Structures are given as C-alpha cells and as structure tokens.
Amino acid sequence: MHIMEVYVKIIFYERGFSKMKKRILALVAAMVMVIGLVACGAPATVEEYYTQPAVKSALDSQIESMKGSYAGVYSDLGYEVSGNTFTYWFQFADQIEEVDAAADQLEASLTDEMMSGIVSDVESECGVTGITCEYIYYNADGSVLFQDSYSTAQ
C-alpha cells in the first residue's frame, strides 16, 4: 500500500473529520502525492527535478484536474517551486466571513505532526532532503485566510 493510501485511510476513517476537513485533506493528500512524484529523482533539489518536461507536465495535469474537481470550492489554485520549497495556494470561490473559525479549522486539519511526517516520508523514499511545503489559503477577496509551512527541519 502506498504511503498516501495509509495517510488517507487514517485521516478519513479513523479521525472522522467533518466534510470540509475531508475535502481539504483530500486536496492535501493529492498534493503530497504530487510532491512524491516531483521529489523522486536524481537531481539535488525538487526544483531541478521539476524543470524536467515530463515531470512538469504531470504536475500541471494534476493541478488542472484539481481545479476541475474543486471548482465550486476554489476559484483558483496553483503552485510555485523554488529550491526544495513547494508553495501551494488556494483561493476560495466564496468570501468566508468567519475568518478566524475557518483559519482554526484549516490549522486543525493541516497539523504540523501530520504534514512534517509526510514530508519526512517523501524525503526518505526519494533521497531528497530539506523539502518544505508551504500552503496559503486566500479568501475570495484575495486576503490571506491561512498560511503555514511544513518541513522536517521544524
């Protein structure tokens, strides 16, 4: 069983998260699988590997698929990669008025323990060290709703 299948099973079935948390975590799980794809390879950095046409194409396809799957939730989503840092960003389609409550729910869903464990596992599997994943969630008006980063260095 792939490591992501284990995480998804733990997240969805054993923790009993709410519907919104399940959507967020499904999205995170998909993004982490992309990290696994991009991080695995001989280059010294994730960015170096990412610049290979086949890898970039696969990552872009995954993002486009996610845009379609989450069209009602997010008006846009994307990524940037620099060195060993992936930055994923998501902009909600509808303005969230309860900013503090939404940020608390996002923070509870994206725990440091869970995300740093995933990053650590990807590093172990692929031999690329120093990977950092940054997640930025924007409200519909463009203001930052929640932002955090995860790495094994935390």
CSV table of all heavy atoms in Angstrom, one decimal, residues 97-130:
chain,number,residue,atom,x,y,z
A,97,GLU,N,-16.8,34.7,5.7
A,97,GLU,CA,-16.9,35.8,6.7
A,97,GLU,C,-16.3,35.4,8.0
A,97,GLU,O,-15.8,36.3,8.7
A,97,GLU,CB,-18.4,36.2,6.8
A,97,GLU,CG,-19.1,36.6,5.5
A,97,GLU,CD,-18.4,37.8,4.9
A,97,GLU,OE1,-17.9,38.7,5.6
A,97,GLU,OE2,-18.3,37.9,3.7
A,98,GLU,N,-16.4,34.2,8.4
A,98,GLU,CA,-15.9,33.8,9.7
A,98,GLU,C,-14.5,33.4,9.6
A,98,GLU,O,-14.1,32.2,9.6
A,98,GLU,CB,-16.8,32.6,10.2
A,98,GLU,CG,-18.2,32.9,10.5
A,98,GLU,CD,-18.4,33.9,11.6
A,98,GLU,OE1,-17.6,33.8,12.6
A,98,GLU,OE2,-19.3,34.7,11.5
A,99,VAL,N,-13.6,34.4,9.4
A,99,VAL,CA,-12.2,34.1,9.0
A,99,VAL,C,-11.5,33.4,10.1
A,99,VAL,O,-10.8,32.4,9.8
A,99,VAL,CB,-11.5,35.5,8.8
A,99,VAL,CG1,-10.0,35.3,8.6
A,99,VAL,CG2,-12.1,36.2,7.5
A,100,ASP,N,-11.7,33.8,11.4
A,100,ASP,CA,-11.0,33.1,12.5
A,100,ASP,C,-11.4,31.6,12.6
A,100,ASP,O,-10.5,30.8,12.8
A,100,ASP,CB,-11.2,33.8,13.8
A,100,ASP,CG,-10.5,35.2,13.8
A,100,ASP,OD1,-9.6,35.4,13.1
A,100,ASP,OD2,-11.0,36.0,14.6
A,101,ALA,N,-12.6,31.3,12.5
A,101,ALA,CA,-13.1,30.0,12.6
A,101,ALA,C,-12.6,29.1,11.4
A,101,ALA,O,-12.2,28.0,11.6
A,101,ALA,CB,-14.7,29.9,12.6
A,102,ALA,N,-12.6,29.7,10.2
A,102,ALA,CA,-12.1,29.0,9.0
A,102,ALA,C,-10.6,28.7,9.2
A,102,ALA,O,-10.1,27.6,8.9
A,102,ALA,CB,-12.4,29.8,7.8
A,103,ALA,N,-9.8,29.7,9.7
A,103,ALA,CA,-8.4,29.5,9.9
A,103,ALA,C,-8.1,28.5,10.9
A,103,ALA,O,-7.2,27.6,10.7
A,103,ALA,CB,-7.8,30.9,10.3
A,104,ASP,N,-8.9,28.5,12.0
A,104,ASP,CA,-8.8,27.4,13.0
A,104,ASP,C,-9.0,26.0,12.4
A,104,ASP,O,-8.3,25.1,12.8
A,104,ASP,CB,-9.7,27.7,14.2
A,104,ASP,CG,-9.3,28.9,15.0
A,104,ASP,OD1,-8.2,29.4,14.9
A,104,ASP,OD2,-10.1,29.4,15.8
A,105,GLN,N,-10.0,25.9,11.6
A,105,GLN,CA,-10.4,24.6,11.0
A,105,GLN,C,-9.3,24.2,10.0
A,105,GLN,O,-8.9,23.0,10.0
A,105,GLN,CB,-11.7,24.7,10.3
A,105,GLN,CG,-12.2,23.3,9.9
A,105,GLN,CD,-13.6,23.3,9.4
A,105,GLN,OE1,-14.2,24.4,9.1
A,105,GLN,NE2,-14.2,22.2,9.3
A,106,LEU,N,-8.7,25.1,9.3
A,106,LEU,CA,-7.6,24.7,8.4
A,106,LEU,C,-6.4,24.3,9.2
A,106,LEU,O,-5.8,23.3,8.8
A,106,LEU,CB,-7.3,25.9,7.4
A,106,LEU,CG,-8.3,26.2,6.3
A,106,LEU,CD1,-8.1,27.6,5.7
A,106,LEU,CD2,-8.2,25.1,5.3
A,107,GLU,N,-6.1,25.1,10.2
A,107,GLU,CA,-5.0,24.7,11.0
A,107,GLU,C,-5.1,23.4,11.7
A,107,GLU,O,-4.2,22.6,11.7
A,107,GLU,CB,-4.7,25.8,12.1
A,107,GLU,CG,-3.5,25.6,12.9
A,107,GLU,CD,-3.2,26.7,13.8
A,107,GLU,OE1,-4.1,27.5,14.2
A,107,GLU,OE2,-2.0,26.8,14.3
A,108,ALA,N,-6.3,23.1,12.2
A,108,ALA,CA,-6.6,21.8,12.8
A,108,ALA,C,-6.5,20.7,11.8
A,108,ALA,O,-6.0,19.6,12.1
A,108,ALA,CB,-8.0,21.8,13.4
A,109,SER,N,-6.8,20.9,10.6
A,109,SER,CA,-6.8,19.9,9.5
A,109,SER,C,-5.3,19.6,9.0
A,109,SER,O,-5.0,18.5,8.7
A,109,SER,CB,-7.6,20.3,8.3
A,109,SER,OG,-9.0,20.4,8.7
A,110,LEU,N,-4.5,20.7,9.0
A,110,LEU,CA,-3.2,20.6,8.5
A,110,LEU,C,-2.2,20.6,9.6
A,110,LEU,O,-1.4,21.6,9.8
A,110,LEU,CB,-2.9,21.7,7.5
A,110,LEU,CG,-3.8,21.8,6.3
A,110,LEU,CD1,-3.6,23.1,5.5
A,110,LEU,CD2,-3.7,20.6,5.4
A,111,THR,N,-2.2,19.6,10.5
A,111,THR,CA,-1.3,19.6,11.6
A,111,THR,C,0.1,19.5,11.3
A,111,THR,O,0.5,18.8,10.3
A,111,THR,CB,-1.7,18.5,12.6
A,111,THR,OG1,-1.4,17.2,12.0
A,111,THR,CG2,-3.2,18.5,13.0
A,112,ASP,N,1.0,20.1,12.1
A,112,ASP,CA,2.4,20.0,11.8
A,112,ASP,C,2.9,18.6,11.9
A,112,ASP,O,3.7,18.1,11.1
A,112,ASP,CB,3.2,20.8,12.9
A,112,ASP,CG,3.1,22.3,12.6
A,112,ASP,OD1,2.7,22.7,11.5
A,112,ASP,OD2,3.4,23.1,13.6
A,113,GLU,N,2.3,17.8,12.8
A,113,GLU,CA,2.7,16.4,13.0
A,113,GLU,C,2.4,15.6,11.8
A,113,GLU,O,3.3,14.9,11.2
A,113,GLU,CB,2.0,15.8,14.2
A,113,GLU,CG,2.3,14.4,14.4
A,113,GLU,CD,1.5,13.8,15.6
A,113,GLU,OE1,0.7,14.5,16.2
A,113,GLU,OE2,1.7,12.6,15.9
A,114,MET,N,1.2,15.8,11.2
A,114,MET,CA,0.8,15.0,10.0
A,114,MET,C,1.7,15.5,8.8
A,114,MET,O,2.2,14.6,8.1
A,114,MET,CB,-0.6,15.2,9.7
A,114,MET,CG,-1.1,14.5,8.5
A,114,MET,SD,-2.8,14.8,8.0
A,114,MET,CE,-2.6,16.5,7.3
A,115,MET,N,1.8,16.8,8.6
A,115,MET,CA,2.4,17.2,7.4
A,115,MET,C,4.0,17.0,7.4
A,115,MET,O,4.6,16.7,6.4
A,115,MET,CB,2.1,18.7,7.1
A,115,MET,CG,0.6,18.9,6.8
A,115,MET,SD,0.0,17.9,5.4
A,115,MET,CE,1.1,18.5,4.1
A,116,SER,N,4.6,17.3,8.6
A,116,SER,CA,6.0,17.0,8.6
A,116,SER,C,6.3,15.6,8.5
A,116,SER,O,7.3,15.2,8.0
A,116,SER,CB,6.6,17.6,9.9
A,116,SER,OG,6.1,17.0,11.1
A,117,GLY,N,5.4,14.7,9.0
A,117,GLY,CA,5.6,13.2,8.8
A,117,GLY,C,5.5,12.9,7.3
A,117,GLY,O,6.3,12.0,6.9
A,118,ILE,N,4.6,13.5,6.6
A,118,ILE,CA,4.5,13.2,5.2
A,118,ILE,C,5.7,13.7,4.4
A,118,ILE,O,6.3,13.0,3.6
A,118,ILE,CB,3.2,13.8,4.6
A,118,ILE,CG1,2.0,13.1,5.1
A,118,ILE,CG2,3.2,13.8,3.1
A,118,ILE,CD1,0.7,13.8,4.8
A,119,VAL,N,6.2,14.9,4.7
A,119,VAL,CA,7.4,15.4,4.1
A,119,VAL,C,8.6,14.5,4.4
A,119,VAL,O,9.4,14.2,3.5
A,119,VAL,CB,7.7,16.9,4.5
A,119,VAL,CG1,9.0,17.4,4.0
A,119,VAL,CG2,6.6,17.8,4.0
A,120,SER,N,8.7,14.1,5.7
A,120,SER,CA,9.8,13.2,6.1
A,120,SER,C,9.8,11.9,5.3
A,120,SER,O,10.8,11.4,4.9
A,120,SER,CB,9.7,12.9,7.6
A,120,SER,OG,10.7,12.1,8.0
A,121,ASP,N,8.6,11.3,5.1
A,121,ASP,CA,8.5,10.1,4.4
A,121,ASP,C,8.9,10.3,2.9
A,121,ASP,O,9.5,9.4,2.3
A,121,ASP,CB,7.0,9.5,4.5
A,121,ASP,CG,6.7,9.0,5.8
A,121,ASP,OD1,7.6,8.8,6.6
A,121,ASP,OD2,5.5,8.9,6.1
A,122,VAL,N,8.5,11.4,2.3
A,122,VAL,CA,8.8,11.7,0.9
A,122,VAL,C,10.3,11.8,0.8
A,122,VAL,O,11.0,11.2,-0.1
A,122,VAL,CB,8.1,12.9,0.4
A,122,VAL,CG1,8.7,13.3,-1.0
A,122,VAL,CG2,6.6,12.7,0.3
A,123,GLU,N,11.0,12.5,1.8
A,123,GLU,CA,12.4,12.6,1.8
A,123,GLU,C,13.1,11.2,1.9
A,123,GLU,O,14.0,11.0,1.1
A,123,GLU,CB,12.9,13.5,2.9
A,123,GLU,CG,12.6,15.0,2.7
A,123,GLU,CD,13.0,15.8,3.9
A,123,GLU,OE1,13.2,15.3,5.0
A,123,GLU,OE2,13.1,17.1,3.7
A,124,SER,N,12.6,10.4,2.7
A,124,SER,CA,13.2,9.1,2.9
A,124,SER,C,13.0,8.2,1.7
A,124,SER,O,14.0,7.5,1.3
A,124,SER,CB,12.5,8.3,4.1
A,124,SER,OG,12.8,9.0,5.3
A,125,GLU,N,11.9,8.3,1.1
A,125,GLU,CA,11.6,7.5,-0.1
A,125,GLU,C,12.5,7.9,-1.3
A,125,GLU,O,12.9,7.1,-2.1
A,125,GLU,CB,10.1,7.6,-0.6
A,125,GLU,CG,9.2,6.7,0.3
A,125,GLU,CD,7.8,6.9,-0.2
A,125,GLU,OE1,7.6,7.2,-1.4
A,125,GLU,OE2,6.9,6.6,0.6
A,126,CYS,N,12.7,9.2,-1.4
A,126,CYS,CA,13.3,9.8,-2.6
A,126,CYS,C,14.7,10.2,-2.5
A,126,CYS,O,15.4,10.5,-3.5
A,126,CYS,CB,12.5,11.0,-3.1
A,126,CYS,SG,10.8,10.5,-3.4
A,127,GLY,N,15.2,10.3,-1.3
A,127,GLY,CA,16.6,10.7,-1.1
A,127,GLY,C,16.8,12.2,-1.2
A,127,GLY,O,18.0,12.7,-1.3
A,128,VAL,N,15.8,13.0,-1.3
A,128,VAL,CA,15.9,14.5,-1.4
A,128,VAL,C,15.6,15.0,0.0
A,128,VAL,O,14.6,14.7,0.6
A,128,VAL,CB,14.9,15.1,-2.4
A,128,VAL,CG1,14.9,16.6,-2.4
A,128,VAL,CG2,15.1,14.5,-3.8
A,129,THR,N,16.5,15.7,0.5
A,129,THR,CA,16.4,16.3,1.9
A,129,THR,C,16.1,17.7,1.9
A,129,THR,O,16.4,18.4,0.9
A,129,THR,CB,17.6,16.0,2.8
A,129,THR,OG1,18.7,16.6,2.2
A,129,THR,CG2,17.9,14.5,2.9
A,130,GLY,N,15.5,18.2,3.0
A,130,GLY,CA,15.2,19.6,3.1
A,130,GLY,C,14.0,20.1,2.4
A,130,GLY,O,13.9,21.3,2.0
